[in-house]
Amino acid sequence: MLNYTFDWSIITSGKYFDWLVSGLITTLKLSTVSIILAFILGLIIAVMRMAHSKPVRWFAHAYLEFFRNTPLLVQIFFWYFGSYKILPTVINDWLVSTNFEFAAAAIALTIYTSAFIAEDIRSGVLSIPKEQMEAARSAGFSYLRAMQYIILPQAVRITIPPLVNQFLNLAKNSSLAMTIGVMEMTYQARQVESYTFKGFEAFTAATVVYLVLSIVITALVNTYNEKVLNLHKAT
Amino acid sequence: MIVFKGVHKWFKNLHVLNDINLHVTQGEVLVVCGPSGSGKSTLIRTINQLEPINEGSLVVDGMDLSDKKTDINKLRAEVGFVFQQFNLYPHLSVISNITLAPIKIRNMPKKEAEEQAMVLLTRVGLAEKRDAYPSQLSGGQQQRVAIARALAMKPRIMLFDEPTSALDPEMIGEVLAVMKDLALSGMTMVVVTHEMGFAREVAHRVAFMADGIVLEEATPEDFFMRPRHERAQQFLRQLLTPMQAECP
């Protein structure tokens, strides 16, 4: 028979509860920072991918293929263990004095996810009729400003469902940051388990946190989509 | 205002513009007509370089389009373009469609741009639609907004590429009325259209194109009453025949 006594009290109060909460806060910070940066970087790479200049296009293409096709864990290790060796001492010293684990994880998550976001946005842009670009250009907008004011706002709206997927993946992928010692949700759950042997309770808590986080992200984006963007659907 | 000299253009092997020589003076209304595939849309699109030319020289409002140093965005800001399919920005309200370019390109304060937009909307008879979105408007209304949007940049030249071809018959009149009003105000205009009534009434000159060549260039009266070229005679017969069949 089942030889395990459930004890939920250890995760709902006291020291272990505090650990889990601090893990949750770190996960929220890491996900938020990375989602915002990945979105901005994804937009930039998407525009570069469609640029007129061949070298710019090739650079963006290489970037995409490189970061989409290597494991995130390797990228996290690269930024944490590898970039250390090639950066100038001044930057290194500054990084060590700050929260280097967090920075390395955020950089890896941002860059990795931006590659996927860029491809989603690009397919959104390609679905906008080319006459929209012509209308903008004939009004006197440069290519980049036409993108900024006319094409991207329409493309991003179309891209929302795949973007939500990328945001969710990023939030869940942030758990890999524990491998370089970022004290986020999964790391703290693991800590609680090691101290109490209450693995079931600790990881149930982590599971619930990720689940709620994902649902909140989906709801936020959908609300934004309905309230702000879908007021005026294209015909 | 617009001077074509020996302009040629090819799409791969297709010679779409063949030795075009045209001169449009300030305040003049030129109507370009011809059978489909004659190159008339390509011709009008070269004027703001939506289509670059391959050979010859094209000077628009003092700017030489064959010169690489010409700032093409500056030229386009001076030339209004109205499309067959309207091409309003679907994510922006009517008023934002009109104010976007003046605010972002001319650096006009938002308030001033909106006041100007309301004057233009009133002129095209759509003041009450300021907060509507393009998808809520009829084709004729969308095209009138598109004209107001082009006029908001205070262009020196207005180009119309088959502005009524995508419209239901009952909406053509309202768009033509706006264009006529604009012509009477002294705007320099090049209009590609099949609306021969408009050409007869408003145009100063008519250019007839076929197979990439301007076959005939004449006053509306000469063109409609005494077309010289056989292709032009044939074209006019085809345009007029169905009408005569309907009203014997």
Side-chain angles (χ1 to χ4, degrees):
Chain A
M1 275 306 288
L2 191 66
N3 190 17
Y4 184 81
T5 331
F6 290 102
D7 181 5
W8 295 100
S9 65
I10 58 150
I11 58 158
T12 52
S13 59
K15 177 169 79 171
Y16 302 125
F17 174 76
D18 294 343
W19 287 5
L20 291 175
V21 170
S22 87
L24 167 63
I25 290 167
T26 306
T27 289
L28 281 178
K29 276 190 198 158
L30 184 59
S31 303
T32 312
V33 168
S34 307
I35 282 177
I36 292 169
L37 293 179
F39 180 65
I40 295 169
L41 193 58
L43 275 176
I44 294 170
I45 299 293
V47 172
M48 288 173 72
R49 181 85 175 79
M50 293 175 288
H52 208 66
S53 138
K54 259 190 184 168
V56 172
R57 239 167 32 225
W58 283 345
F59 171 83
H61 199 168
Y63 176 100
L64 284 172
E65 296 302 345
F66 188 85
F67 290 108
R68 276 200 308 180
N69 296 319
T70 45
L72 176 57
L73 189 56
V74 173
Q75 291 184 33
I76 290 176
F77 285 162
F78 174 82
W79 293 110
Y80 186 61
F81 299 112
S83 68
Y84 218 72
K85 307 261 160 55
I86 53 168
L87 290 174
T89 336
V90 198
I91 298 181
N92 260 336
D93 291 347
W94 177 75
L95 280 173
V96 173
S97 72
T98 61
N99 191 342
F100 184 48
E101 297 83 22
F102 186 91
I107 290 170
L109 282 167
T110 297
I111 290 180
Y112 177 79
T113 314
S114 72
F116 292 91
I117 288 179
E119 278 300 82
D120 289 340
I121 290 175
R122 187 172 77 101
S123 61
V125 167
L126 292 180
S127 73
I128 305 297
K130 71 174 192 335
E131 286 79 11
Q132 285 289 311
M133 181 54 98
E134 279 189 351
R137 295 306 303 274
S138 65
F141 285 105
S142 68
Y143 175 80
L144 283 180
R145 302 196 91 202
M147 274 284 171
Q148 181 186 354
Y149 297 121
I150 290 125
I151 307 300
L152 286 177
Q154 296 182 57
V156 167
R157 189 193 329 167
I158 293 174
T159 314
I160 283 193
L163 277 183
V164 172
N165 274 340
Q166 302 305 345
F167 293 169
L168 294 182
N169 279 339
L170 191 152
K172 291 179 289 182
N173 284 341
S174 72
S175 61
L176 287 176
M178 75 168 284
T179 55
I180 55 170
V182 178
M183 292 153 85
E184 47 69 69
M185 193 65 219
T186 312
Y187 181 97
Q188 297 291 17
R190 179 100 173 83
Q191 284 280 94
V192 172
E193 192 271 339
S194 330
Y195 277 72
T196 63
F197 300 109
K198 292 292 177 194
F200 187 88
E201 290 84 343
F203 285 107
T204 299
T207 305
V208 170
V209 162
Y210 284 112
L211 192 60
V212 170
L213 181 61
S214 297
I215 291 169
V216 168
I217 290 174
T218 311
L220 279 178
V221 180
N222 282 344
T223 312
Y224 178 74
N225 190 23
E226 275 160 28
K227 287 260 165 68
V228 185
L229 299 173
N230 271 359
L231 279 173
H232 31 82
K233 270 212 174 93
T235 39
Chain B
M1 209 66 176
I2 307 171
V3 183
F4 284 82
K5 268 192 199 140
V7 169
H8 290 263
K9 179 171 179 66
W10 287 267
F11 286 136
K12 299 249 168 71
N13 291 325
L14 191 65
H15 203 165
V16 278
L17 294 181
N18 187 350
D19 193 24
I20 303 291
N21 294 284
L22 275 177
H23 190 137
V24 182
T25 55
Q26 180 148 11
E28 193 177 23
V29 178
L30 172 71
V31 162
V32 183
C33 61
S36 62
S38 59
K40 53 195 192 303
S41 275
T42 308
L43 176 86
I44 199 172
R45 286 163 63 88
T46 59
I47 300 174
N48 73 347
Q49 219 180 73
L50 282 179
E51 301 286 354
I53 61 172
N54 297 130
E55 230 181 273
S57 106
L58 174 51
V59 179
V60 178
D61 196 17
M63 289 184 252
D64 184 354
L65 293 198
S66 39
D67 185 350
K68 286 219 159 50
K69 287 194 287 274
T70 299
D71 181 351
I72 192 64
N73 292 328
K74 190 161 169 283
L75 169 85
R76 284 172 173 158
E78 304 296 333
V79 179
F81 199 101
V82 176
F83 297 86
Q84 184 177 353
Q85 297 292 345
F86 336 127
N87 300 341
L88 294 179
Y89 310 133
H91 62 301
L92 298 177
S93 65
V94 163
I95 186 118
S96 305
N97 261 278
I98 299 173
T99 57
L100 184 68
I103 293 173
K104 300 298 181 189
I105 296 173
R106 299 262 197 250
N107 295 317
M108 194 185 275
K110 189 166 184 241
K111 195 161 169 289
E112 192 187 331
E114 288 187 345
E115 282 165 9
Q116 180 199 260
M118 284 318 292
V119 171
L120 290 167
L121 275 178
T122 310
R123 188 165 162 194
V124 300
L126 289 170
E128 81 284 1
K129 297 289 186 190
R130 57 165 288 161
D131 295 317
Y133 281 89
S135 58
Q136 299 164 323
L137 304 180
S138 72
Q141 292 171 332
Q142 289 192 51
Q143 193 62 297
R144 284 186 280 155
V145 172
I147 294 173
R149 175 177 71 176
L151 290 176
M153 291 296 280
K154 300 196 176 81
R156 307 197 5 101
I157 300 169
M158 284 285 285
L159 307 174
F160 295 83
D161 187 7
E162 305 207 25
T164 57
S165 301
L167 297 177
D168 293 336
E170 71 268 26
M171 290 169 185
I172 292 176
E174 63 193 55
V175 172
L176 291 180
V178 169
M179 289 167 61
K180 188 180 164 188
D181 173 55
L182 193 58
L184 292 177
S185 75
M187 178 65 79
T188 309
M189 290 164 62
V190 179
V191 185
V192 172
T193 185
H194 292 298
E195 293 298 327
M196 291 302 121
F198 176 84
R200 201 185 287 243
E201 203 179 336
V202 180
H204 299 112
R205 261 180 323 135
V206 178
F208 175 78
M209 282 185 81
D211 303 328
I213 304 167
V214 176
L215 286 179
E216 194 156 338
E217 208 190 323
T219 63
E221 200 189 306
D222 281 343
F223 179 71
F224 289 110
M225 305 313 282
R226 296 172 284 280
R228 288 188 307 269
H229 203 278
E230 195 204 333
R231 293 288 297 273
Q233 292 162 5
Q234 195 187 344
F235 175 76
L236 286 169
R237 259 200 314 278
Q238 277 170 352
L239 272 185
L240 296 172
T241 313
M243 269 189 256
Q244 283 166 349
E246 268 173 18
C247 342

